[in-house]
Amino acid sequence: MKSVAQEIIQIGKLIYDKGYNAGKDGNISVRLDNDHIMITASGALLGFLTIDDLIIVNNNGDPVDETTKKPSSEIILHTEIYKERPDINAVIHAHAPYSITLSMLDIDTEHHLYSTAAGPIPITETALPSCSDSWEKIQPFVKKRSKAILKRHGLVAWGKDLMTTFVKLEETEHFAKSLVHAFAVKKIEPISQEIQDKLFIIWGIK
Ligand SMILES: [Zn+2]
């Protein structure tokens, strides 16, 4: 059976190989137990993670072991999502290019749904990175949704385990890619409110 560290390393490589992130951007965390979170270090390359790039922190984001490395600068985003959602055990943040593009186009993503997996995808207000601002802007969506795009910044997904969370990230970026390509050709008419309401009932989304 894979260790949590091995899982994070594998998913980090997958995110990089798929083109969902670049360089030192992005961060991954997994909740280990009620008091501990494993998170990628600040400046770590998600595509080339080693065990030394993974830090165990407490619920306030403070490293529990002696280390010269710092946890990701988006640590607050991770720790606060875990506090808000006790059912969640993994968080991924990646600078996914199509999601970022989508957030800059002012497209109403709530009314362009095309599959259960993809929608709806909230887009936050523009937030300052590496401080509590990202958390404050995403907070309104954390209880009801499982992913959101930080405007002009990147994608955040949260789920019951790391693979589920990666799949949410992938589906969202895939949907964003479709929308960006479609809007590059012409303006796409949104789904009507009536149809959307029915879809939400079918999908069990409030
Ligand atoms: Zn970021």
Side-chain angles (χ1 to χ4, degrees):
M1 206 169 123
K2 274 201 188 80
S3 70
V4 172
Q6 286 171 322
E7 244 191 302
I8 293 176
I9 290 168
Q10 183 192 30
I11 293 292
K13 184 176 183 321
L14 200 51
I15 289 169
Y16 177 75
D17 288 348
K18 291 268 193 178
Y20 304 155
N21 198 64
K24 295 177 181 176
D25 298 344
N27 25 79
I28 303 173
S29 73
V30 170
R31 195 202 309 259
L32 300 174
D33 56 38
N34 286 344
D35 304 312
H36 300 96
I37 296 159
M38 182 178 278
I39 187 162
T40 48
S42 175
L45 303 173
L46 282 202
F48 303 90
L49 293 172
T50 69
I51 193 84
D52 292 337
D53 295 315
L54 303 174
I55 298 177
I56 298 175
V57 298
N58 61 24
N59 290 334
N60 294 321
D62 304 315
V64 296
D65 299 317
E66 219 162 280
T67 171
T68 53
K69 296 198 175 186
K70 289 182 182 164
S72 162
S73 60
E74 294 287 5
I75 182 73
I76 297 170
L77 184 68
H78 292 254
T79 53
E80 293 303 311
I81 289 176
Y82 290 124
K83 283 176 195 165
E84 186 98 349
R85 290 287 301 268
D87 56 317
I88 287 309
N89 297 306
V91 177
I92 303 175
H93 167 51
H95 293 184
Y98 285 101
S99 297
I100 295 171
T101 306
L102 187 63
S103 76
M104 293 191 285
L105 295 176
D106 288 326
I107 296 169
D108 175 6
T109 50
E110 294 273 318
H111 290 82
H112 283 288
L113 314 176
Y114 79 130
S115 77
T116 312
I121 304 166
I123 298 177
T124 72
E125 294 298 311
T126 303
L128 294 171
S130 309
C131 64
S132 61
D133 203 29
S134 296
W135 161 245
E136 282 156 25
K137 297 295 191 313
I138 211 170
Q139 195 269 340
F141 308 110
V142 169
K143 274 233 159 72
K144 286 190 174 180
R145 302 286 189 254
S146 56
K147 66 252 179 177
I149 300 171
L150 290 166
K151 192 169 188 176
R152 299 170 182 262
H153 177 171
L155 185 51
V156 185
W158 48 97
K160 65 181 170 62
D161 56 46
L162 198 50
M163 183 50 80
T164 305
T165 308
F166 168 76
V167 170
K168 285 176 201 294
L169 184 97
E170 178 165 56
E171 288 168 346
T172 307
E173 176 65 356
H174 185 75
F175 171 66
K177 185 178 182 178
S178 306
L179 261 190
V180 167
H181 281 306
F183 271 84
V185 176
K186 67 169 194 155
K187 188 176 184 300
I188 308 299
E189 289 306 315
I191 294 169
S192 71
Q193 189 64 49
E194 188 191 346
I195 295 290
Q196 196 204 21
D197 289 344
K198 287 179 182 168
L199 285 169
F200 273 35
I201 291 167
I202 292 167
W203 299 340
I205 295 172
K206 290 173 192 160

